Amino acid sequence: MKFLVHTYGCQMNVRDSEAVEALMLAAGHEKAANEDEAEVVIVNSCTVRQKAEEKAVGKAGNLIAAKKITGLMGCAVKRMGADVFKRLPKLDFAVAPRAFGLIPRILADGRFPRLELGDDVAPESLAAHVEGGWQAFVTVLLGCDNRCSYCIVPDVRGHEYSRPAKEVIAEVAALARRGVKEVCLLGQSVLRYGIRNAAWEAERSSAVSTREAFPRLLRALAEIDGIERIRFTSAHPSGCTDELIQVYQDCPKVCRHLHLPVQSGSDRILKEMGRRYTRADYLAAVRRLRAFDPEFAVTTDVIVGYPGETADDFEATRSLMEEAGFDNAFVFKYSPRPGTRAAQLPDDVPTAEKERRDQVLLADQESRGQRRNDALVGTVREVLAEGPSKRNPARWSGRDGGNRIVVWDRADGARAPAPGERVHLRITAAHPQILIGEPT
Ligand code: 5AD
Ligand code: SF4
Protein backbone atom coordinates (compact mmCIF):
# COMPACT_ATOMS: atom_id res chain seq x y z
CA MET A 1 0.00 0.00 0.00
CA LYS A 2 1.05 3.59 -0.52
CA PHE A 3 1.57 5.28 2.83
CA LEU A 4 2.60 8.53 4.47
CA VAL A 5 3.58 9.39 8.02
CA HIS A 6 2.66 12.86 9.23
CA THR A 7 4.63 14.03 12.26
CA TYR A 8 3.91 16.49 15.10
CA GLY A 9 6.05 17.10 18.16
CA CYS A 10 9.69 16.77 19.09
CA GLN A 11 12.72 14.95 17.72
CA MET A 12 11.64 11.74 19.47
CA ASN A 13 8.57 11.72 17.29
CA VAL A 14 10.58 12.55 14.17
CA ARG A 15 12.77 9.57 14.97
CA ASP A 16 9.84 7.22 15.70
CA SER A 17 8.19 8.27 12.43
CA GLU A 18 11.38 7.49 10.53
CA ALA A 19 11.50 4.04 12.14
CA VAL A 20 7.86 3.44 11.14
CA GLU A 21 8.68 4.42 7.55
CA ALA A 22 11.59 1.99 7.52
CA LEU A 23 9.42 -0.82 8.92
CA MET A 24 6.66 -0.08 6.40
CA LEU A 25 9.13 -0.13 3.50
CA ALA A 26 10.60 -3.39 4.79
CA ALA A 27 7.08 -4.86 4.88
CA GLY A 28 6.73 -4.08 1.16
CA HIS A 29 4.71 -0.87 1.34
CA GLU A 30 5.61 2.13 -0.76
CA LYS A 31 5.92 5.75 0.27
CA ALA A 32 3.28 7.94 -1.39
CA ALA A 33 4.45 11.05 -3.25
CA ASN A 34 1.68 13.12 -1.65
CA GLU A 35 -1.38 12.83 0.54
CA ASP A 36 -3.82 12.40 -2.38
CA GLU A 37 -1.96 9.35 -3.52
CA ALA A 38 -1.65 7.78 -0.05
CA GLU A 39 -3.95 4.91 0.89
CA VAL A 40 -2.75 4.81 4.49
CA VAL A 41 -1.75 7.83 6.55
CA ILE A 42 -0.26 7.52 10.02
CA VAL A 43 -0.32 10.64 12.19
CA ASN A 44 2.35 10.76 14.88
CA SER A 45 0.91 12.88 17.67
CA CYS A 46 2.26 15.09 20.45
CA THR A 47 0.44 15.96 23.67
CA VAL A 48 2.95 18.17 25.46
CA ARG A 49 0.51 21.07 25.24
CA GLN A 50 -3.23 20.96 24.56
CA LYS A 51 -2.82 22.75 21.22
CA ALA A 52 -0.29 20.19 20.01
CA GLU A 53 -2.73 17.37 20.72
CA GLU A 54 -5.59 19.17 18.98
CA LYS A 55 -3.53 19.64 15.82
CA ALA A 56 -2.76 15.94 15.52
CA VAL A 57 -6.30 14.83 16.31
CA GLY A 58 -7.67 17.40 13.84
CA LYS A 59 -5.35 16.14 11.14
CA ALA A 60 -6.41 12.54 11.74
CA GLY A 61 -10.06 13.66 11.54
CA ASN A 62 -9.47 15.26 8.14
CA LEU A 63 -7.81 12.11 6.83
CA ILE A 64 -10.70 9.97 8.03
CA ALA A 65 -13.07 12.36 6.23
CA ALA A 66 -10.94 11.93 3.10
CA LYS A 67 -11.48 8.15 3.44
CA LYS A 68 -7.87 7.21 4.01
CA ILE A 69 -6.98 4.27 6.24
CA THR A 70 -5.95 6.36 9.21
CA GLY A 71 -3.75 5.49 12.15
CA LEU A 72 -2.74 7.63 15.10
CA MET A 73 0.48 6.91 16.94
CA GLY A 74 2.51 8.67 19.61
CA CYS A 75 2.01 10.56 22.82
CA ALA A 76 -1.61 11.69 22.45
CA VAL A 77 -2.74 8.08 21.97
CA LYS A 78 -1.26 7.02 25.28
CA ARG A 79 -2.80 9.99 27.04
CA MET A 80 -6.29 9.35 25.67
CA GLY A 81 -6.25 5.57 25.85
CA ALA A 82 -9.53 4.04 24.63
CA ASP A 83 -11.07 7.54 24.61
CA VAL A 84 -9.23 8.17 21.36
CA PHE A 85 -12.12 6.37 19.66
CA LYS A 86 -14.58 8.76 21.29
CA ARG A 87 -12.70 11.67 19.75
CA LEU A 88 -12.26 9.87 16.43
CA PRO A 89 -14.94 7.17 16.13
CA LYS A 90 -13.83 6.08 12.66
CA LEU A 91 -10.11 5.89 13.40
CA ASP A 92 -8.67 2.60 12.13
CA PHE A 93 -5.86 2.07 14.59
CA ALA A 94 -4.06 3.79 17.44
CA VAL A 95 -0.69 2.84 18.93
CA ALA A 96 1.16 4.22 21.95
CA PRO A 97 4.67 5.71 21.58
CA ARG A 98 6.55 2.50 22.35
CA ALA A 99 4.28 0.24 20.29
CA PHE A 100 4.94 1.64 16.81
CA GLY A 101 6.74 -1.56 15.79
CA LEU A 102 3.32 -3.26 15.61
CA ILE A 103 2.02 -1.02 12.80
CA PRO A 104 3.02 -3.20 9.80
CA ARG A 105 1.37 -6.23 11.44
CA ILE A 106 -1.77 -4.26 12.27
CA LEU A 107 -2.04 -3.28 8.61
CA ALA A 108 -1.40 -6.84 7.45
CA ASP A 109 -4.17 -8.15 9.75
CA GLY A 110 -6.52 -5.41 8.59
CA ARG A 111 -8.75 -5.92 11.63
CA PHE A 112 -9.87 -2.43 12.57
CA PRO A 113 -10.35 -0.68 14.91
CA ARG A 114 -7.27 -1.61 16.84
CA LEU A 115 -5.72 -0.07 19.96
CA GLU A 116 -2.23 -0.90 21.25
CA LEU A 117 -1.18 0.82 24.45
CA GLY A 118 1.70 -1.45 25.53
CA ASP A 119 5.07 -0.14 26.68
CA ASP A 120 7.18 -3.04 25.42
CA VAL A 121 9.35 -2.01 22.56
CA ALA A 122 10.96 -4.39 20.10
CA PRO A 123 14.73 -3.70 19.83
CA GLU A 124 14.62 -4.24 16.04
CA SER A 125 12.00 -1.56 15.64
CA LEU A 126 14.16 0.94 17.54
CA ALA A 127 17.07 0.34 15.20
CA ALA A 128 15.12 0.60 11.91
CA HIS A 129 16.32 3.46 9.69
CA VAL A 130 15.39 4.66 6.22
CA GLU A 131 18.38 4.53 3.86
CA GLY A 132 19.93 7.69 2.51
CA GLY A 133 20.74 10.98 4.17
CA TRP A 134 23.79 11.99 6.11
CA GLN A 135 22.14 12.86 9.42
CA ALA A 136 20.30 10.47 11.72
CA PHE A 137 18.57 10.48 15.06
CA VAL A 138 19.36 7.56 17.36
CA THR A 139 17.21 6.85 20.40
CA VAL A 140 19.41 5.93 23.36
CA LEU A 141 17.11 6.54 26.32
CA LEU A 142 13.38 5.89 26.28
CA GLY A 143 10.81 7.35 28.65
CA CYS A 144 11.39 9.54 31.63
CA ASP A 145 11.10 9.15 35.42
CA ASN A 146 11.71 12.75 36.40
CA ARG A 147 8.08 13.72 36.99
CA CYS A 148 8.36 17.47 36.61
CA SER A 149 5.02 18.82 37.81
CA TYR A 150 3.81 20.22 34.47
CA CYS A 151 4.96 17.48 32.16
CA ILE A 152 2.90 14.66 30.69
CA VAL A 153 5.83 12.86 29.09
CA PRO A 154 6.44 10.33 31.92
CA ASP A 155 2.79 9.26 31.63
CA VAL A 156 2.91 8.79 27.90
CA ARG A 157 6.42 7.61 27.13
CA GLY A 158 6.77 5.19 30.02
CA HIS A 159 9.60 4.48 32.42
CA GLU A 160 13.16 5.43 31.72
CA TYR A 161 15.06 2.73 29.88
CA SER A 162 18.61 2.96 28.54
CA ARG A 163 19.29 0.85 25.50
CA PRO A 164 22.29 -1.45 25.87
CA ALA A 165 25.45 0.33 24.75
CA LYS A 166 26.34 -2.45 22.33
CA GLU A 167 22.99 -1.99 20.54
CA VAL A 168 23.55 1.75 20.19
CA ILE A 169 27.15 1.32 19.00
CA ALA A 170 26.12 -1.31 16.43
CA GLU A 171 23.33 0.98 15.18
CA VAL A 172 25.64 3.97 14.74
CA ALA A 173 28.30 1.82 13.06
CA ALA A 174 25.65 0.55 10.60
CA LEU A 175 24.55 4.13 9.92
CA ALA A 176 28.16 5.16 9.29
CA ARG A 177 28.54 2.37 6.74
CA ARG A 178 25.48 3.79 4.94
CA GLY A 179 27.05 7.25 4.73
CA VAL A 180 25.67 8.93 7.83
CA LYS A 181 28.09 11.58 9.12
CA GLU A 182 26.15 13.19 11.92
CA VAL A 183 24.15 11.46 14.63
CA CYS A 184 21.96 13.06 17.25
CA LEU A 185 21.39 10.87 20.31
CA LEU A 186 17.93 11.23 21.77
CA GLY A 187 16.50 10.88 25.25
CA GLN A 188 14.16 12.99 27.35
CA SER A 189 17.00 13.44 29.79
CA VAL A 190 19.81 11.91 27.81
CA LEU A 191 22.58 12.53 30.36
CA ARG A 192 20.81 10.04 32.63
CA TYR A 193 21.80 7.33 30.16
CA GLY A 194 22.77 4.15 32.02
CA ILE A 195 21.63 5.34 35.43
CA ARG A 196 18.41 3.35 35.68
CA ASN A 197 19.60 0.14 34.08
CA ALA A 198 23.00 -1.23 33.19
CA ALA A 199 23.59 0.07 29.71
CA TRP A 200 27.06 -1.48 29.70
CA GLU A 201 25.85 -4.87 30.90
CA ALA A 202 28.50 -6.71 28.90
CA GLU A 203 31.12 -5.12 31.12
CA ARG A 204 29.26 -5.09 34.39
CA SER A 205 32.27 -6.55 36.15
CA SER A 206 34.32 -3.48 35.25
CA ALA A 207 31.75 -1.33 37.10
CA VAL A 208 30.92 1.64 34.90
CA SER A 209 29.81 4.31 37.33
CA THR A 210 26.58 6.09 36.56
CA ARG A 211 28.43 9.36 36.03
CA GLU A 212 30.54 7.69 33.39
CA ALA A 213 27.88 5.81 31.44
CA PHE A 214 26.95 8.55 28.99
CA PRO A 215 30.46 10.03 28.57
CA ARG A 216 31.68 6.53 27.89
CA LEU A 217 29.02 6.00 25.22
CA LEU A 218 30.10 9.24 23.55
CA ARG A 219 33.74 8.13 23.53
CA ALA A 220 32.82 4.78 22.00
CA LEU A 221 30.74 6.44 19.27
CA ALA A 222 33.48 8.98 18.53
CA GLU A 223 35.73 6.08 17.53
CA ILE A 224 33.44 4.99 14.69
CA ASP A 225 34.97 5.84 11.32
CA GLY A 226 32.79 7.98 9.08
CA ILE A 227 30.91 9.63 11.95
CA GLU A 228 32.04 13.24 11.97
CA ARG A 229 29.64 14.82 14.42
CA ILE A 230 27.82 13.63 17.49
CA ARG A 231 25.03 15.68 19.05
CA PHE A 232 22.59 14.77 21.80
CA THR A 233 19.47 16.19 23.41
CA SER A 234 17.99 17.04 25.92
CA ALA A 235 20.26 17.72 28.87
CA HIS A 236 19.86 18.53 32.58
CA PRO A 237 22.38 20.67 34.48
CA SER A 238 23.18 17.82 36.88
CA GLY A 239 24.69 15.98 33.91
CA CYS A 240 27.22 18.75 33.13
CA THR A 241 29.94 16.89 35.00
CA ASP A 242 33.73 17.04 34.72
CA GLU A 243 33.52 13.67 32.93
CA LEU A 244 31.29 15.21 30.26
CA ILE A 245 33.53 18.25 29.83
CA GLN A 246 36.53 15.95 29.50
CA VAL A 247 34.72 14.28 26.57
CA TYR A 248 34.35 17.66 24.85
CA GLN A 249 38.05 18.20 25.44
CA ASP A 250 39.11 14.81 24.09
CA CYS A 251 36.60 14.20 21.28
CA PRO A 252 36.32 16.96 18.67
CA LYS A 253 33.47 15.03 17.03
CA VAL A 254 31.23 15.75 19.99
CA CYS A 255 29.56 19.08 19.19
CA ARG A 256 29.93 21.94 21.63
CA HIS A 257 26.23 22.60 21.98
CA LEU A 258 23.83 21.67 24.75
CA HIS A 259 20.09 22.05 24.74
CA LEU A 260 19.60 22.65 28.44
CA PRO A 261 15.93 23.38 29.22
CA VAL A 262 15.76 25.73 32.22
CA GLN A 263 11.95 26.24 32.33
CA SER A 264 12.13 29.10 34.87
CA GLY A 265 14.64 31.40 36.55
CA SER A 266 12.71 31.62 39.82
CA ASP A 267 13.86 29.28 42.59
CA ARG A 268 10.36 29.13 43.99
CA ILE A 269 8.88 28.02 40.65
CA LEU A 270 11.75 25.63 39.95
CA LYS A 271 11.04 23.96 43.28
CA GLU A 272 7.34 23.71 42.54
CA MET A 273 8.12 22.26 39.16
CA GLY A 274 10.33 19.62 40.78
CA ARG A 275 13.28 20.46 38.54
CA ARG A 276 15.89 19.45 41.16
CA TYR A 277 18.22 22.41 40.58
CA THR A 278 18.31 26.01 41.68
CA ARG A 279 18.95 29.04 39.55
CA ALA A 280 22.50 29.10 40.94
CA ASP A 281 23.06 25.40 40.06
CA TYR A 282 21.85 26.03 36.53
CA LEU A 283 24.01 29.11 36.00
CA ALA A 284 27.02 27.28 37.43
CA ALA A 285 26.55 24.53 34.82
CA VAL A 286 26.42 27.11 32.01
CA ARG A 287 29.51 28.87 33.40
CA ARG A 288 31.41 25.59 33.48
CA LEU A 289 30.65 24.99 29.79
CA ARG A 290 31.57 28.54 28.77
CA ALA A 291 34.72 28.52 30.91
CA PHE A 292 35.78 25.49 28.92
CA ASP A 293 34.86 27.15 25.60
CA PRO A 294 33.42 30.68 25.44
CA GLU A 295 31.75 29.80 22.13
CA PHE A 296 29.98 26.78 23.63
CA ALA A 297 26.37 27.06 22.40
CA VAL A 298 23.67 26.76 25.03
CA THR A 299 20.00 26.74 24.05
CA THR A 300 16.97 26.34 26.27
CA ASP A 301 13.24 25.87 26.79
CA VAL A 302 11.25 28.19 29.05
CA ILE A 303 7.65 28.01 30.26
CA VAL A 304 5.78 31.26 30.92
CA GLY A 305 2.60 31.48 32.99
CA TYR A 306 3.15 28.46 35.23
CA PRO A 307 0.46 28.45 37.99
CA GLY A 308 1.20 31.21 40.48
CA GLU A 309 4.02 32.76 38.37
CA THR A 310 4.23 36.34 39.64
CA ALA A 311 5.73 39.36 37.92
CA ASP A 312 8.83 38.83 40.12
CA ASP A 313 9.13 35.16 39.13
CA PHE A 314 8.90 36.21 35.51
CA GLU A 315 11.58 38.89 35.96
CA ALA A 316 13.79 36.20 37.52
CA THR A 317 13.39 34.14 34.35
CA ARG A 318 14.27 37.17 32.26
CA SER A 319 17.40 37.91 34.22
CA LEU A 320 18.49 34.27 34.24
CA MET A 321 18.20 34.17 30.46
CA GLU A 322 20.40 37.24 30.24
CA GLU A 323 22.98 35.86 32.68
CA ALA A 324 23.07 32.53 30.87
CA GLY A 325 23.50 34.31 27.52
CA PHE A 326 21.48 31.74 25.61
CA ASP A 327 22.25 31.29 21.95
CA ASN A 328 18.65 30.37 21.28
CA ALA A 329 15.51 29.85 23.35
CA PHE A 330 12.11 28.25 22.84
CA VAL A 331 9.36 29.83 24.92
CA PHE A 332 6.16 27.95 25.75
CA LYS A 333 2.95 29.19 27.32
CA TYR A 334 1.94 26.95 30.19
CA SER A 335 -0.81 24.49 29.28
CA PRO A 336 -2.30 22.27 32.00
CA ARG A 337 -2.04 18.57 31.16
CA PRO A 338 -4.52 16.12 32.68
CA GLY A 339 -3.08 13.93 35.41
CA THR A 340 -0.01 16.05 36.09
CA ARG A 341 0.58 17.61 39.53
CA ALA A 342 0.43 21.14 38.15
CA ALA A 343 -2.98 20.48 36.62
CA GLN A 344 -4.39 20.43 40.16
CA LEU A 345 -3.30 24.03 40.62
CA PRO A 346 -5.38 26.91 39.25
CA ASP A 347 -4.13 27.95 35.80
CA ASP A 348 -4.23 31.51 37.07
CA VAL A 349 -2.02 33.54 34.72
CA PRO A 350 -4.44 35.04 32.17
CA THR A 351 -3.89 34.07 28.54
CA ALA A 352 -3.13 37.68 27.57
CA GLU A 353 -0.44 37.87 30.26
CA LYS A 354 1.10 34.58 29.13
CA GLU A 355 1.18 36.03 25.63
CA ARG A 356 2.83 39.22 26.87
CA ARG A 357 5.52 37.32 28.80
CA ASP A 358 6.13 35.14 25.76
CA GLN A 359 6.64 38.22 23.57
CA VAL A 360 8.94 39.89 26.09
CA LEU A 361 11.21 36.84 26.28
CA LEU A 362 11.25 36.44 22.51
CA ALA A 363 12.20 40.11 22.04
CA ASP A 364 14.96 39.75 24.66
CA GLN A 365 16.24 36.66 22.87
CA GLU A 366 16.29 38.48 19.52
CA SER A 367 18.68 41.10 20.83
CA ARG A 368 20.68 38.55 22.83
CA GLY A 369 20.97 36.28 19.77
CA GLN A 370 22.16 39.27 17.76
CA ARG A 371 24.82 40.10 20.35
CA ARG A 372 25.99 36.48 20.69
CA ASN A 373 26.22 36.15 16.91
CA ASP A 374 27.90 39.55 16.42
CA ALA A 375 30.73 38.25 18.57
CA LEU A 376 31.34 35.52 15.98
CA VAL A 377 31.84 37.91 13.04
CA GLY A 378 35.37 37.41 11.72
CA THR A 379 35.70 33.87 13.09
CA VAL A 380 35.94 30.83 10.81
CA ARG A 381 33.22 28.21 11.36
CA GLU A 382 33.41 24.59 10.34
CA VAL A 383 30.06 23.90 8.71
CA LEU A 384 28.45 20.77 7.29
CA ALA A 385 26.44 21.79 4.23
CA GLU A 386 22.71 20.99 4.27
CA GLY A 387 21.47 22.40 0.93
CA PRO A 388 19.91 25.55 -0.50
CA SER A 389 18.79 28.04 2.15
CA LYS A 390 15.03 27.99 2.75
CA ARG A 391 14.75 31.78 2.76
CA ASN A 392 16.95 32.38 -0.23
CA PRO A 393 17.55 29.33 -2.45
CA ALA A 394 20.39 31.14 -4.22
CA ARG A 395 22.38 30.67 -1.02
CA TRP A 396 23.69 27.55 0.68
CA SER A 397 22.90 26.68 4.22
CA GLY A 398 24.55 24.49 6.83
CA ARG A 399 25.25 24.31 10.54
CA ASP A 400 28.32 24.70 12.66
CA GLY A 401 29.10 22.50 15.66
CA GLY A 402 27.09 24.85 17.88
CA ASN A 403 24.02 24.09 15.72
CA ARG A 404 24.11 27.67 14.41
CA ILE A 405 22.72 28.14 10.92
CA VAL A 406 25.31 29.59 8.53
CA VAL A 407 24.41 30.66 4.97
CA TRP A 408 26.74 31.63 2.15
CA ASP A 409 26.72 32.61 -1.53
CA ARG A 410 28.13 30.17 -3.98
CA ALA A 411 31.35 31.53 -5.48
CA ASP A 412 31.09 32.15 -9.26
CA GLY A 413 31.47 28.87 -11.09
CA ALA A 414 31.93 26.85 -7.91
CA ARG A 415 30.15 23.50 -7.70
CA ALA A 416 27.33 22.95 -5.24
CA PRO A 417 28.50 21.44 -1.97
CA ALA A 418 27.44 17.84 -1.47
CA PRO A 419 25.00 17.32 1.41
CA GLY A 420 27.04 16.83 4.55
CA GLU A 421 30.21 18.20 2.96
CA ARG A 422 32.51 20.05 5.33
CA VAL A 423 33.14 23.70 4.44
CA HIS A 424 35.02 26.42 6.25
CA LEU A 425 33.33 29.80 6.28
CA ARG A 426 34.48 33.15 7.56
CA ILE A 427 31.57 34.97 9.21
CA THR A 428 30.95 38.36 7.59
CA ALA A 429 27.60 39.34 9.15
CA ALA A 430 25.22 38.19 11.84
CA HIS A 431 21.47 38.08 12.47
CA PRO A 432 19.77 36.90 15.67
CA GLN A 433 19.33 33.36 14.35
CA ILE A 434 21.57 33.20 11.29
CA LEU A 435 25.23 33.80 10.47
CA ILE A 436 26.35 34.90 7.00
CA GLY A 437 29.67 33.53 5.84
CA GLU A 438 32.01 33.30 2.87
CA PRO A 439 34.21 30.38 1.86
CA THR A 440 37.78 30.73 3.11
N1 5AD B 1 2.92 23.55 29.16
C1 5AD B 1 3.77 24.32 28.43
N2 5AD B 1 4.98 23.90 28.03
C2 5AD B 1 5.36 22.65 28.39
N3 5AD B 1 6.49 21.97 28.16
C3 5AD B 1 6.38 20.75 28.72
N4 5AD B 1 5.19 20.63 29.34
C4 5AD B 1 4.54 21.80 29.14
C5 5AD B 1 3.26 22.30 29.55
N5 5AD B 1 2.43 21.57 30.29
C6 5AD B 1 7.62 22.55 27.42
C7 5AD B 1 8.90 22.47 28.24
C8 5AD B 1 9.67 21.39 27.54
C9 5AD B 1 9.21 21.56 26.11
C10 5AD B 1 9.46 20.42 25.22
O1 5AD B 1 7.84 21.81 26.25
O2 5AD B 1 9.56 23.70 28.13
O3 5AD B 1 11.07 21.52 27.69
FE1 SF4 C 1 7.78 14.83 22.15
FE2 SF4 C 1 6.68 15.32 24.48
FE3 SF4 C 1 5.35 15.88 22.27
FE4 SF4 C 1 5.74 13.39 23.00
S1 SF4 C 1 4.55 14.87 24.11
S2 SF4 C 1 6.03 14.24 20.96
S3 SF4 C 1 7.74 13.45 23.93
S4 SF4 C 1 7.23 16.85 22.93
Side-chain angles (χ1 to χ4, degrees):
M1 280 191 283
K2 292 201 170 174
F3 74 95
L4 273 187
V5 185
H6 202 91
T7 309
Y8 295 93
C10 66
Q11 288 108 322
M12 316 273 164
N13 269 17
V14 173
R15 167 64 195 125
D16 292 347
S17 291
E18 189 220 348
V20 168
E21 280 190 18
L23 296 170
M24 290 288 286
L25 293 170
H29 300 289
E30 198 185 324
K31 202 167 161 183
N34 54 50
E35 216 165 271
D36 284 344
E37 193 188 283
E39 296 155 87
V40 185
V41 184
I42 302 157
V43 179
N44 195 355
S45 61
C46 172
T47 187
V48 74
R49 287 168 295 278
Q50 182 63 29
K51 281 220 173 90
E53 183 176 299
E54 280 160 14
K55 269 194 216 156
V57 171
K59 179 74 185 174
N62 293 342
L63 292 162
I64 292 167
K67 304 223 176 305
K68 307 284 180 190
I69 298 174
T70 306
L72 192 66
M73 64 183 273
C75 299
V77 171
K78 185 80 176 187
R79 192 195 74 70
M80 289 187 273
D83 284 353
V84 66
F85 291 105
K86 288 192 191 142
R87 294 270 290 274
L88 296 164
K90 293 196 175 144
L91 183 69
D92 294 300
F93 61 92
V95 295
R98 291 197 188 189
F100 63 77
L102 299 171
I103 290 176
R105 235 184 304 151
I106 291 172
L107 281 166
D109 289 351
R111 282 198 306 269
F112 303 137
R114 180 95 174 255
L115 176 65
E116 292 290 346
L117 294 175
D119 276 339
D120 294 335
V121 67
E124 326 72 81
S125 62
L126 279 177
H129 283 273
V130 175
E131 294 212 22
W134 59 276
Q135 289 168 304
F137 286 126
V138 174
T139 304
V140 302
L141 187 105
L142 284 74
C144 184
D145 286 337
N146 279 346
R147 303 238 153 237
C148 301
S149 64
Y150 51 85
C151 186
I152 191 136
V153 168
D155 291 333
V156 296
R157 284 198 168 254
H159 281 297
E160 191 173 295
Y161 168 77
S162 299
R163 292 177 66 202
K166 64 174 187 309
E167 251 176 64
V168 175
I169 295 165
E171 182 172 331
V172 174
L175 288 168
R177 285 194 296 274
R178 285 186 184 178
V180 167
K181 295 179 175 173
E182 179 176 308
V183 288
C184 180
L185 312 179
L186 297 179
Q188 291 297 341
S189 196
V190 72
L191 302 179
R192 288 178 52 82
Y193 178 77
I195 289 183
R196 197 53 104 222
N197 55 310
W200 292 90
E201 78 292 345
E203 303 172 53
R204 217 173 282 167
S205 55
S206 64
V208 178
S209 86
T210 52
R211 275 168 77 94
E212 282 171 312
F214 188 67
R216 185 152 175 183
L217 180 68
L218 291 173
R219 285 177 191 276
L221 298 178
E223 278 175 21
I224 297 173
D225 282 342
I227 296 297
E228 294 179 26
R229 269 186 186 170
I230 301 169
R231 303 183 183 280
F232 52 89
T233 195
S234 287
H236 185 276
S238 63
C240 299
T241 56
D242 294 343
E243 287 85 346
L244 183 69
I245 290 179
Q246 195 59 46
V247 172
Y248 288 118
Q249 176 77 52
D250 298 342
C251 307
K253 290 181 181 181
V254 179
C255 292
R256 295 182 179 186
H257 165 226
L258 267 193
H259 185 62
L260 202 58
V262 66
Q263 314 298 4
S264 172
S266 152
D267 278 334
R268 190 180 70 81
I269 298 282
L270 286 171
K271 193 154 189 218
E272 292 208 6
M273 287 176 163
R275 291 291 294 168
R276 295 177 298 112
Y277 53 81
T278 61
R279 171 191 178 96
D281 296 335
Y282 184 93
L283 287 170
V286 174
R287 262 199 306 276
R288 220 173 303 143
L289 298 167
R290 295 263 174 75
F292 163 68
D293 177 355
E295 288 180 2
F296 200 108
V298 183
T299 57
T300 203
D301 291 342
V302 172
I303 296 176
V304 291
Y306 182 82
E309 186 185 71
T310 63
D312 283 351
D313 293 322
F314 172 67
E315 287 307 320
T317 298
R318 263 188 103 178
S319 68
L320 175 134
M321 291 179 78
E322 189 50 38
E323 279 181 53
F326 290 122
D327 294 274
N328 204 351
F330 301 89
V331 183
F332 301 102
K333 285 171 271 190
Y334 172 71
S335 161
R337 307 307 295 128
T340 59
R341 270 183 291 134
Q344 294 169 6
L345 304 169
D347 180 12
D348 55 1
V349 178
T351 307
E353 181 59 16
K354 284 182 187 165
E355 182 63 39
R356 191 191 70 82
R357 293 180 187 180
D358 180 31
Q359 292 303 323
V360 169
L361 296 188
L362 289 177
D364 285 355
Q365 186 57 44
E366 276 286 289
S367 56
R368 184 180 309 119
Q370 181 73 57
R371 271 181 282 131
R372 294 269 318 155
N373 282 346
D374 280 344
L376 299 174
V377 172
T379 64
V380 174
R381 319 302 303 166
E382 187 180 278
V383 167
L384 297 189
E386 293 186 352
S389 154
K390 280 191 196 115
R391 285 196 211 170
N392 177 355
R395 281 180 164 165
W396 298 96
S397 178
R399 283 174 198 262
D400 77 352
N403 216 25
R404 301 175 186 94
I405 298 171
V406 187
V407 301
W408 67 101
D409 287 324
R410 197 186 331 180
D412 284 341
R415 65 175 179 85
E421 185 175 321
R422 188 189 303 265
V423 274
H424 287 93
L425 299 163
R426 184 176 306 281
I427 302 307
T428 54
H431 298 288
Q433 307 218 27
I434 289 187
L435 297 168
I436 315 286
E438 60 186 25
T440 55

